[in-house]
Amino acid sequence: MQKNDRKDHNEIILELENVCYTYEDGTEALKGVNLKVVRGEKLAIMGANGSGKSTLFLTLNGIHKPNKGMVLYNHIPVDYSRKGLLALRKKIGIVFQDPDNQLFSASVTQEISFGVLNLGLSFEEARERVEKIIEELNITSFRDKPTHFLSGGQKKRVSIADILVMNPEMILFDEPAAALDPKHARMIDEIIDQLSEKGITVILSTHDVNRAFLWADRIVLMDEGSIVSEGTPDEIFTDEAALAQTNLEKPTVLKIFESLCKSGVLDRTLPVPHTANELEQYIREGTV
Ligand code: ADP
Ligand code: MG
């Protein structure tokens, strides 16, 4: 299956038109950002610390209102009234980089139940949803603990459960693997993969070039509050100028592939491999 076959006829779900955002101290964090997000897509946002990724996310779900420009969700400009924002946040969930900014209830189960009990569902329905998420995200063993006693990986799972239980159409993950050990980072990757399979639109900010190369349909590179480049992972990671500007390394598989092409071991007209297995297959077949 081609990656793009999964998209719903390239329907635009979210659009930013010339969005500018300046913090109170005068920091211009977004300087005229234009972006279209397709329903069901896997979009990675990359760029150095301070390039504006988190500010972009906070603008996407209405926490920040642009000083200039517009955000449209399902082709309708965001309504910044309290009611409008509540409606938007049911559709777009955000998992903050630091779970401590997100978790505030006493126990894990209370935390996950809080939002869903305010959705207007019957009590039974709400409880069923909470139980399902607790099971799916493997939270059962610490469901009665106070959230502040949890490990970093557990907190991250609870902060994701908080969002998933609301059944959003789109989820924003701000550096979800930051500060997690490899096992928990993999667990989060798997959860994100499952969301994409369900057709949920996922926007992820990450510094992990290998993950972005393998996972994303499209990558957007940010630098100093602007989008400097966007394209498929293959386009972005072969764009030497954009990589240099944003200080990004090439993914390991691509580095080895290009080096083997250069030394004549592999044919550079081969489709770019995205996994170590694909690369190994080329080498085994001796495809010179
Ligand atoms: P990233 O997530 O890519 O690291 P941020 O969106 O956090 O980037 O930051 C973009 C710019 O905005 C940086 O210069 C940062 O220092 C500044 N910034 C972020 N939050 C605030 C804030 N609350 N007040 C003032 N400046 C901020
Ligand atoms: Mg950030």
Side-chain angles (χ1 to χ4, degrees):
M1 184 167 68
Q2 285 287 309
K3 279 190 165 186
N4 283 337
D5 289 352
R6 273 196 234 114
K7 306 297 154 350
D8 193 359
H9 309 295
N10 289 346
E11 179 200 342
I12 304 294
I13 181 168
L14 184 70
E15 194 168 351
L16 272 74
E17 282 179 4
N18 190 30
V19 165
C20 299
Y21 187 80
T22 305
Y23 284 100
E24 275 175 15
D25 68 355
T27 307
E28 293 178 49
L30 298 177
K31 302 174 188 165
V33 170
N34 290 293
L35 180 66
K36 287 187 170 79
V37 181
V38 173
R39 186 182 291 277
E41 98 168 307
K42 296 188 277 186
L43 179 63
I45 312 280
M46 307 193 80
N49 291 337
S51 58
K53 304 179 298 297
S54 295
T55 307
L56 177 72
F57 280 13
L58 296 172
T59 309
L60 290 180
N61 93 332
I63 293 173
H64 288 337
K65 183 179 179 184
N67 305 101
K68 213 174 113 191
M70 218 174 11
V71 181
L72 297 101
Y73 191 71
N74 280 329
H75 308 285
I76 300 168
V78 168
D79 164 7
Y80 289 92
S81 70
R82 196 179 137 72
K83 200 171 148 223
L85 288 178
L86 275 174
L88 182 72
R89 287 175 199 152
K90 278 185 201 164
K91 306 274 188 199
I92 308 181
I94 180 166
V95 177
F96 292 99
Q97 179 170 344
D98 182 354
D100 290 331
N101 289 338
Q102 194 173 332
L103 307 179
F104 60 89
S105 294
S107 86
V108 168
T109 306
Q110 279 171 355
E111 174 65 45
I112 300 171
S113 308
F114 179 78
V116 81
L117 285 172
N118 290 313
L119 278 182
L121 304 171
S122 73
F123 182 76
E124 277 312 306
E125 249 180 301
R127 216 186 57 150
E128 245 171 58
R129 270 212 213 170
V130 170
E131 292 303 318
K132 189 163 165 262
I133 290 294
I134 285 181
E135 197 181 312
E136 275 179 11
L137 266 60
N138 237 333
I139 287 172
T140 312
S141 63
F142 53 90
R143 61 179 294 163
D144 297 320
K145 276 199 171 188
T147 52
H148 58 274
F149 285 162
L150 304 181
S151 73
Q154 291 172 333
K155 278 186 185 170
K156 188 53 104 181
R157 262 140 71 201
V158 174
S159 65
I160 294 175
D162 251 2
I163 300 303
L164 293 192
V165 77
M166 306 294 281
N167 273 350
E169 291 184 336
M170 176 184 287
I171 307 187
L172 317 172
F173 286 94
D174 198 357
E175 298 192 33
L180 293 186
D181 62 44
K183 182 182 143 208
H184 281 94
R186 261 201 312 280
M187 204 183 277
I188 303 304
D189 285 350
E190 281 167 18
I191 294 170
I192 293 176
D193 284 341
Q194 286 164 13
L195 297 176
S196 303
E197 276 162 27
K198 286 186 197 160
I200 295 174
T201 311
V202 178
I203 310 183
L204 167 83
S205 79
T206 179
H207 293 293
D208 184 344
V209 290
N210 293 308
R211 175 69 180 151
F213 185 55
L214 179 64
W215 173 82
D217 292 319
R218 191 157 61 104
I219 296 176
V220 163
L221 293 187
M222 291 191 71
D223 188 36
E224 295 187 0
S226 300
I227 291 179
V228 291
S229 187
E230 63 172 275
T232 63
D234 292 6
E235 286 163 354
I236 291 293
F237 286 114
T238 50
D239 181 345
E240 310 293 338
L243 293 180
Q245 184 180 356
T246 47
N247 277 318
L248 277 182
E249 289 258 330
K250 279 191 192 242
T252 312
V253 168
L254 183 61
K255 256 192 224 168
I256 301 173
F257 175 69
E258 287 184 347
S259 158
L260 291 174
C261 290
K262 207 168 163 191
S263 56
V265 176
L266 291 179
D267 177 351
R268 65 174 65 249
T269 61
L270 285 166
V272 172
H274 291 86
T275 63
N277 281 347
E278 284 170 26
L279 180 60
E280 191 186 336
Q281 192 68 28
Y282 283 165
I283 298 168
R284 274 182 203 285
E285 287 166 4
T287 31
V288 183

